[in-house]
Amino acid sequence: MGLILVAAEVAGGSPSPLTLELVSHARTLGDEVAVVVLDPEADAVLPALGAHGASQAYVGRETAYREHLGQPAAQVVSALVDRLHPDLVLFPGTQEGRDLAARVSARLRLPVLANAIDVTKDGDAFLVRTAIFGATVDVITRTRSRSPLVLVRPKSFTATASGGPQPATEVLPLPAEAPLGARRLESVVAPSAGPGLEEAKVVVSGGRGMQEAANFEVLEHLARQLGGAVGASRAVVDAGWVPYALQVGQTGKTVKPDVYIACGISGAMQHLVGMKGSSHIVAINKDPDAPIFKLSDLGVVGDALKVVPALIEELRARGLS
Ligand SMILES: Cc1cc2nc3c(=O)[nH]c(=O)nc-3n(C[C@H](O)[C@H](O)[C@H](O)COP(=O)(O)OP(=O)(O)OC[C@H]3O[C@@H](n4cnc5c(N)ncnc54)[C@H](O)[C@@H]3O)c2cc1C
């Protein structure tokens, strides 16, 4: 009893960081954590999943899981949930996770709660926290059904290794009648020289105060010097200055770096929700009353187009090119 099932995602031969966050947190919610890993590289990720607390793995290694959209995975995961009746099923709140959870929900007529930022145990039930109205209001939902499906936002939990051994493995064959209708034609990984935005220890983010797309070059330079990644507000993504993949906030990515440097960002609630968990927040804004200063540990009232180049020069003088 007390089984928590986590739908794992594999990226480049490793479990995705979000998968490790879910497996780690699942340890606080049940007596046993199982993972379902449907990917040709499933075996490669089992040691890491075990080290984070999974004691049982259900594995499918067929290439169909990569070549097709979520239908074959949904069939296999649905059959597994139907068989195990886990207390809770956690899905990564990614495009693939949403696709899979929605299909499993429809197949099994189970409720799915999306955008969770916290999940705790409450007797036989679970309390699932989500944020609404631009993250100004938290909603806590108490689950009543058996095996509720919950999609969790990245960085809601911390990935912590428990030092567990490789999980026991059961291979799930792909059913002969698995639906293989929609085929994935191409997957494109956005080119990135530095660390990914969600994993970076330093994030240098720009907003409308950077004035124009070309000025993001100085943010890229600063991020490179600090070994970090560039982020952005939605205003500049909407303006087409940078791709959507860089957007931080309610409808973008959630980041929790050691240092978040907000340059020309006002600090709208929808932006703050994506970065307020950063350990140290530095804000550069020419408006002393900008809301971002209420959250920042260090505030610089000034023109980001002058302050950031000055910072780059200072770092260069200290040997960082
Ligand atoms: C449903 C919904 C979802 C949303 N999701 C997101 C989201 O995920 N992420 C997000 O970011 N936003 C989101 N938004 C938009 C959000 O409400 C704000 O409009 C947006 O964050 C503002 O971006 P900004 O701070 O870059 O621009 P602005 O609000 O225009 O602020 C620009 C700031 O730059 C300062 N400035 C100007 N010139 C300079 C200069 N030279 N040097 C220094 N400072 C300067 C100004 O003082 C100002 O504070 C969402 C909105 C809605 C309604």
Side-chain angles (χ1 to χ4, degrees):
M1 293 308 292
L3 173 66
I4 311 296
L5 180 64
V6 177
E9 280 183 356
V10 179
S14 304
S16 72
L18 178 50
T19 297
L20 296 182
E21 292 163 25
L22 297 189
V23 172
S24 302
H25 188 68
R27 301 200 310 260
T28 69
L29 302 173
D31 306 323
E32 190 190 347
V33 179
V35 285
V36 52
V37 199
L38 304 177
D39 191 273
E41 292 182 289
D43 291 322
V45 305
L46 296 182
L49 295 174
H52 284 77
S55 56
Q56 174 71 47
Y58 298 93
V59 166
R61 303 169 179 134
E62 282 80 359
T63 53
Y65 299 118
R66 283 226 184 131
E67 291 169 355
H68 295 269
L69 297 186
Q71 300 107 313
Q75 177 162 358
V76 173
V77 174
S78 299
L80 187 65
V81 172
D82 207 25
R83 187 182 109 200
L84 300 176
H85 297 304
D87 287 2
L88 178 75
V89 190
L90 295 176
F91 293 87
T94 57
Q95 297 295 345
E96 275 81 9
R98 288 171 201 279
D99 185 29
L100 180 59
R103 291 174 192 276
V104 174
S105 169
R107 278 174 170 270
L108 298 179
R109 302 181 72 81
L110 287 171
V112 60
L113 287 156
N115 286 325
I117 54 173
D118 196 12
V119 185
T120 52
K121 189 112 173 73
D122 183 34
D124 290 341
F126 295 92
L127 300 178
V128 179
R129 183 183 291 263
T130 49
I132 62 166
F133 299 150
T136 53
V137 176
D138 279 5
V139 176
I140 297 173
T141 306
R142 191 171 194 277
T143 60
R144 281 198 306 185
S145 96
R146 196 169 58 175
S147 304
L149 316 176
V150 178
L151 278 154
V152 182
R153 284 186 69 109
K155 305 291 175 192
S156 299
F157 311 123
T158 306
T160 48
S162 61
Q166 174 140 338
T169 304
E170 177 183 325
V171 176
L172 302 175
L174 182 70
E177 75 284 7
L180 301 175
R183 179 177 286 273
R184 199 186 302 261
L185 295 179
E186 194 184 1
S187 295
V188 181
V189 178
S192 160
L197 179 55
E198 286 163 298
E199 284 78 51
K201 299 263 182 246
V202 177
V203 172
V204 181
S205 256
R208 201 161 12 208
M210 292 306 294
Q211 310 294 335
E212 57 176 310
N215 290 332
F216 265 68
E217 268 178 34
V218 287
L219 303 186
E220 282 158 19
H221 192 140
L222 180 58
R224 214 168 36 245
Q225 282 178 313
L226 298 173
V230 172
S233 72
R234 175 161 160 179
V236 305
V237 171
D238 286 350
W241 295 0
V242 294
Y244 168 66
L246 267 55
Q247 185 179 316
V248 172
Q250 183 191 337
T251 42
K253 290 189 171 140
T254 304
V255 297
K256 277 190 186 172
D258 293 342
V259 181
Y260 188 87
I261 307 177
C263 309
I265 292 178
S266 59
M269 187 51 81
Q270 295 90 351
H271 186 80
L272 301 186
V273 67
M275 45 64 80
K276 64 183 179 186
S278 307
S279 305
H280 303 282
I281 296 170
V282 180
I284 304 167
N285 197 302
K286 66 180 188 183
D287 174 6
D289 296 322
I292 189 82
F293 286 132
K294 292 203 179 81
L295 198 71
S296 60
D297 302 288
L298 175 68
V300 181
V301 179
D303 183 346
L305 301 177
K306 292 185 180 146
V307 175
V308 176
L311 189 51
I312 289 172
E313 280 314 311
E314 179 62 33
L315 290 170
R316 197 176 270 145
R318 295 184 188 201
L320 295 170
S321 60

